Amino acid sequence: MIDRDTLTRFLLERSGVRGVLVHLDDTWQEIQARTPYPAAVANCLGETCAAAALFTGHVKVDGRLSVQLRGTGALRTLFAECTAGGTLRGIAQYADPLPAPLTPRAFGEGSLMAITIENLPPGGREMMRYQGLVSLDAERLSEAFEAYFSQSEQLPTRLLLASDGDRAAAVMLQQLPQTAGDGDGWARCSALFDTLGAAELLAVPVESLLWRLFHEEGVRILGQRELAFACSCSRGRVEDMLRSLGIEEALAGAENGRSEVHCDFCGQAYLFSRDEVAALFHAPPASAPGSERLQ
């Protein structure tokens, strides 16, 4: 069984509970290598990346799923995106000084959390976007996500997120409709879940962890999917971004004869001459699904 950089879906047959477990290893190393973050910010970003991957094992995603938390406090943005192909990217934005400990409260008043799913409908050319948006009011990211799923799906949900400099991990349990499992199943599984700590989630292999926690609940592995870092930036998406600025602002960025745009996620540089920038406003845009800028 694969343990590194993998998403594992499982079922607790006796209790009628489904779950997803994510371990990010090289994937998380590559994400955090792109930008140096303070350790506390990096840990928050690692948890957000693990959560984004986790949710693609929970809901149907044919395109990509993104998690974004934003506010006006010391923490400004946590953003992570996972595609149906299992590729991940993420970014954080913050302002010094950072409070200690660093919690979601650092986003400040009026902060928001959005989970966005973009799927390509059968026979369609444009991505269909589905977004859930809620206020962010929790001491831990896991609590914020639990509240989101309780509101949106109205099913009891438990999450645990963990991250350090080497690995990010996440596990999620959700009760199936009452027609499945026995009446006490959720209470038992929730009590077992409470025995799991962040250190164990990070350190113990998938099969050993699930057996230790849930062997009496009839745990069954439903499938695994490998995960990896990759960025979805492209020249076409940068062109769309430049068009969205308007011709005056876009040309102002090329006042020295060229415009250079760097992707914040992977560092890729895209160069445009002044004439190429001007030409963007005299030609129809290329089809670049999902080209909206990060807001």
Side-chain angles (χ1 to χ4, degrees):
M1 179 175 291
I2 302 171
D3 182 58
R4 294 177 60 85
D5 294 298
T6 188
L7 179 153
T8 304
R9 295 172 53 248
F10 60 92
L11 178 67
L12 308 182
E13 294 182 305
R14 180 186 172 197
S15 49
V17 173
R18 62 177 174 176
V20 186
L21 173 62
V22 164
H23 280 161
L24 302 179
D25 298 278
D26 293 342
T27 305
W28 171 227
Q29 294 291 327
E30 291 199 49
I31 290 172
Q32 63 178 329
R34 262 57 191 181
T35 305
Y37 296 111
V41 175
N43 288 340
C44 289
L45 178 59
E47 291 185 1
T48 306
C49 290
L54 191 77
F55 301 152
T56 64
H58 173 71
V59 298
K60 181 177 175 58
V61 177
D62 297 323
R64 58 189 179 183
L65 180 148
S66 64
V67 173
Q68 184 174 2
L69 302 95
R70 62 178 183 237
T72 58
L75 272 177
R76 301 294 173 83
T77 298
L78 290 172
F79 178 90
E81 176 187 271
C82 185
T83 69
T87 61
L88 274 150
R89 65 177 188 163
I91 192 172
Q93 296 172 345
Y94 66 95
D96 289 321
L98 291 168
L102 191 63
T103 74
R105 303 290 185 195
F107 280 101
E109 294 184 7
S111 53
L112 296 171
M113 178 176 70
I115 297 180
T116 306
I117 300 172
E118 294 176 87
N119 286 333
L120 190 64
R125 299 186 62 184
E126 294 292 329
M127 287 283 191
M128 297 293 293
R129 168 178 281 203
Y130 309 90
Q131 185 177 75
L133 188 67
V134 297
S135 60
L136 184 57
D137 183 19
E139 289 292 337
R140 297 193 298 268
L141 290 179
S142 58
E143 293 176 356
F145 292 126
E146 285 179 351
Y148 174 88
F149 282 103
S150 294
Q151 292 177 31
S152 64
E153 300 185 4
Q154 298 182 344
L155 289 171
T157 304
R158 298 295 308 274
L159 278 100
L160 179 63
L161 307 172
S163 177
D164 60 20
D166 299 318
R167 171 178 264 192
V171 62
M172 175 180 182
L173 295 182
Q174 188 175 74
Q175 184 178 24
L176 292 170
Q178 288 298 328
T179 53
D182 62 62
D184 297 325
W186 177 252
R188 288 196 311 273
C189 291
S190 187
L192 291 169
F193 190 89
D194 286 335
T195 69
L196 177 63
E200 185 179 12
L201 177 60
L202 289 168
V204 179
V206 171
E207 192 169 18
S208 299
L209 183 64
L210 294 180
W211 177 257
R212 201 280 287 173
L213 288 170
F214 303 121
H215 65 278
E216 292 185 352
E217 300 299 325
V219 59
R220 177 162 63 92
I221 303 298
L222 300 178
Q224 285 192 305
R225 178 159 56 92
E226 293 185 15
L227 302 168
F229 168 80
C231 189
S232 57
C233 70
S234 68
R235 189 173 182 86
R237 296 183 72 179
V238 175
E239 289 174 353
D240 285 351
M241 181 275 292
L242 291 171
R243 287 190 186 94
S244 73
L245 297 177
I247 188 168
E248 290 187 6
E249 187 174 348
L251 286 175
E255 60 182 355
N256 295 322
R258 72 172 191 173
S259 178
E260 184 172 344
V261 180
H262 290 263
C263 175
D264 290 335
F265 293 93
C266 68
Q268 175 69 44
Y270 295 91
L271 300 177
F272 296 84
S273 68
R274 185 177 178 84
D275 289 343
E276 287 173 329
V277 173
L280 295 176
F281 296 89
H282 302 290
S287 176
S291 59
E292 293 90 347
R293 298 172 65 195
L294 170 62
Q295 299 297 318

